[in-house]
Structure formats: C-alpha cells, structure tokens
DNA sequence: ATGGCGTTCCTTGAACGA
C-alpha cells in the first residue's frame, strides 16, 4: 500500500500536475494540503475519473486538506472536534487543517500544521497552541482506537539540523526554533516513527524549496513534509522517498510529494 | 533585506505562505 503526502499550493493551479503524478505513481492514497478552495468548487471530476474517492475539507483562499483513495475510506472525519471536546478545540477548527480516514485498517491523519510566520509572533503562538491540541487529538485516537496510525502532511517544522540545507541561525528561524521542534517531538513521543529516516540518514534530502531565491536550483531546501507511523506500520514500511520530479516542472508547487510503501 | 516568488480575491495591491 502506497500512501503519499503533497502540499500542492492550490489544487486548482496544480490539477494537471497532480493528475499526471497520480498516473505515473499509482499511489493508493494521496493526502493533500493547501488546496485553497471551498468544497463546492473543488475540481473533483478528473480525479474521480482516475478511480479515486475524494474526501475534502476546504475553505476559501487558505489552507484546505484532502484525502484521495483508490478504495472507499471509512470513518472520515474533519477537524480536531471529531475526537476532542469543542470547548478544548476552541477556534482551532476554523482553519481547515485536519482530515482523517481509515483505509485498509490504517487510520490516516492528514495535517497542514500552521506556518507560524515568525518566532514569537501571534501566529507562532497559534502554531504552538495547535501542536498542543494535536498531541491531545492523537493521544485520544491511540487510546480509544486500536488502529495503526499514519500521520502525514506538511508539518512546517524541520526537526533536526540535517533537515535544513543551512541550519545557521535556526534558533530564531520559523520552522526550526527549539520550542516548535520540542512541540513536534512531544507529539512524536506518543509513539510515532519518521518513515523517511528509517531508510535515509544523510542530510541534503528536502521536501520544500523557497520560490523566491531559486532555492531548488541549488538544493537549498528544508525537509518539513513528513510521514509518521506507529511501530507495527513503521516495521512494515518497505520504502519512503521524496519525489523531487514535480518540483522541476514549470509552475510547480514549492513542495514535493513524500511517499511511503507499506 | 519590511528584499527575492506564487496564489488568491467582490483583485488592480494586500494578505499569506515558509
């Protein structure tokens, strides 16, 4: 079973590239982030014609997540409030960043973690608050359900220095500051393993490159898109790769897809 | 470098991303 995650930076702008990629890779499940479209305007038909079932949670202009699956999924849920008390979730479901579904006994959680703007900004506080609730959310799922978990998406955090082309100044940099790294680590301490790092130890492997500085040409990237697995799935994993081919195309997303083969 | 690029919107520049 192949599961992929890809921040497409607008599904309407990237539709043709995603179609081509699905035809080439034939993944069983594709988790998308930053679809940037309300559900009623999501371009469903070409993906459905390819044989995928679509589960989407979008909003106007910003954020938005989706799960495409070759097999029908069960127990599809949107947002933290599907699991946690609404009082605890507060305003955190207003931005569409969480969708979950079960495929072939695997509970897939697809996340678009807030970017955080800059360290110690209001949005940074929101990111940390969001990661705290994410921990509670995953903790509840692990306690109350017996599913194996695949937690994937755009985390907007490079956990280690080898995940950044140049870690100089990282303490003050969004996506690498110690507090947000610790917040993610605390989520992973629930018992999740990084599928990519099971197979690849070297630095220089990235999933995002800034549009603005021709960063891709010099491979000045960050590894911020992740696939995390509970122990049994982690042990089962056969491969986990980042496909940089779509990043080479004209008008690409700034992120590349990550694929795990279970 | 409050910089560079790309996407969205009741657009004509601003907000946001990372």
């Amino acid at each position: 079973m192949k599961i992929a995650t890809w921040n497409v930076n607008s599904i309407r702008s990237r539709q043709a590239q995603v179609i081509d990629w699905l035809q080439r890779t034939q993944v069983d499940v594709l988790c998308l982030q930053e679809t940037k479209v309300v559900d009623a305007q999501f371009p469903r038909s070409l993906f459905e014609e390819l044989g995928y079932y679509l589960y989407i949670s979008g909003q106007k202009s910003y954020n938005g997540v989706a799960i495409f699956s070759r097999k029908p999924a069960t127990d599809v849920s949107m947002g933290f409030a599907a699991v946690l008390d609404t009082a605890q979730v507060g305003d955190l479901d207003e931005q569409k960043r969480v969708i979950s579904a079960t495929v072939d006994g695997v509970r897939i959680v697809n996340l678009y973690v807030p970017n955080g703007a800059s360290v110690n900004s209001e949005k940074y506080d929101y990111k940390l608050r969001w990661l705290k609730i994410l921990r509670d959310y995953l903790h509840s799922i692990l306690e109350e359900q017996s599913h194996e978990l695949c937690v994937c998406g755009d985390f907007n955090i490079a956990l280690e220095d080898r995940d950044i082309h140049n870690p100089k100044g990282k303490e003050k940099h969004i996506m690498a500051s110690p507090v947000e790294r610790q917040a993610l680590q605390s989520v992973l301490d629930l018992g999740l393993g990084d599928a990519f790092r099971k197979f690849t130890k070297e630095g220089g492997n990235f999933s995002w490159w800034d549009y603005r500085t021709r960063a891709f040409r010099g491979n000045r990237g960050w590894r911020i898109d992740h696939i995390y697995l509970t122990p049994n799935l982690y042990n089962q994993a056969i491969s986990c790769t980042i496909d940089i081919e779509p990043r080479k195309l004209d008008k690409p997303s700034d992120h590349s897809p990550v694929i795990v083969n279970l």
Side-chain angles (χ1 to χ4, degrees):
Chain A
M1 181 189 196
K2 281 191 196 170
I3 302 171
T5 177
W6 192 3
N7 178 325
V8 289
N9 186 18
S10 168
I11 190 61
R12 287 179 293 181
S13 291
R14 229 62 65 197
Q15 170 164 225
Q17 291 185 18
V18 176
I19 290 282
D20 288 348
W21 191 81
L22 284 171
Q23 286 178 317
R24 178 159 68 79
T25 60
Q26 305 272 315
V27 295
D28 299 286
V29 176
L30 176 59
C31 296
L32 298 172
Q33 304 87 36
E34 281 209 272
T35 52
K36 294 189 171 178
V37 66
V38 293
D39 295 351
Q41 284 167 35
F42 195 101
R44 305 183 71 105
S45 56
L46 291 178
F47 300 109
E48 288 172 342
E49 282 165 27
L50 267 186
Y52 287 92
Y53 295 88
L54 274 53
Y55 308 96
I56 61 184
S57 179
Q59 65 183 87
K60 193 169 76 171
S61 301
Y62 304 117
N63 312 309
V65 284
I67 297 176
F68 296 175
S69 175
R70 282 196 177 282
K71 291 186 180 175
T74 57
D75 301 304
V76 178
S77 80
M78 284 71 164
F80 290 131
V83 171
L84 300 173
D85 293 343
T86 49
Q88 190 185 1
V89 175
D91 62 347
L92 293 177
D93 274 347
E94 285 171 18
Q95 301 180 14
K96 303 307 179 194
R97 298 177 176 277
V98 179
I99 186 169
S100 181
T102 301
V103 180
D104 272 345
V106 177
R107 187 76 185 153
I108 296 162
V109 178
N110 176 23
L111 304 171
Y112 176 44
V113 177
N115 164 275
S118 58
V119 172
N120 293 329
S121 66
E122 218 170 276
K123 285 180 179 158
Y124 184 74
D125 294 340
Y126 181 89
K127 182 180 196 173
L128 295 175
R129 200 153 61 82
W130 197 95
L131 287 164
K132 216 169 193 179
I133 295 296
L134 173 64
R135 190 183 191 283
D136 295 340
Y137 169 84
L138 294 175
H139 183 66
S140 283
I141 293 175
L142 287 164
E143 290 241 305
E144 293 163 19
Q145 304 172 15
S146 55
H147 283 115
E148 290 293 327
L149 231 53
C150 171
V151 183
C152 66
D154 175 2
F155 284 76
N156 274 319
I157 296 173
L159 199 59
E160 301 176 301
D161 289 355
R162 61 179 166 165
D163 298 324
I164 312 174
H165 72 278
N166 176 10
K168 188 164 163 267
K170 59 173 177 167
E171 266 81 8
K172 294 188 162 127
H173 200 298
I174 195 66
M175 303 191 292
S177 68
V179 175
E180 58 191 303
R181 279 184 172 179
Q182 183 50 53
L184 175 54
Q185 187 57 56
S186 158
V187 170
L188 303 184
D189 287 346
L190 293 170
L192 293 163
D194 183 337
F196 185 78
R197 285 300 180 208
K198 176 178 176 181
F199 304 99
T200 306
K201 306 298 178 195
E202 306 83 47
N205 293 285
F206 308 123
S207 66
W208 173 82
W209 300 260
D210 200 321
Y211 284 128
R212 294 169 292 186
T213 50
R214 292 181 189 145
F216 184 69
R217 211 172 58 175
N219 196 28
R220 293 185 296 274
W222 294 60
R223 195 175 72 90
I224 57 175
D225 300 87
H226 305 296
I227 298 177
Y228 295 114
L229 304 170
T230 46
N232 287 341
L233 282 181
Y234 183 89
N235 291 331
Q236 275 172 41
I238 300 159
S239 69
C240 182
T241 55
I242 302 169
D243 183 2
I244 66 167
E245 291 307 312
R247 190 65 178 79
K248 298 175 181 172
L249 299 172
D250 196 37
K251 295 249 168 204
S253 167
D254 42 356
H255 295 252
S256 278
V258 185
I259 311 98
V260 68
N261 194 352
L262 300 170

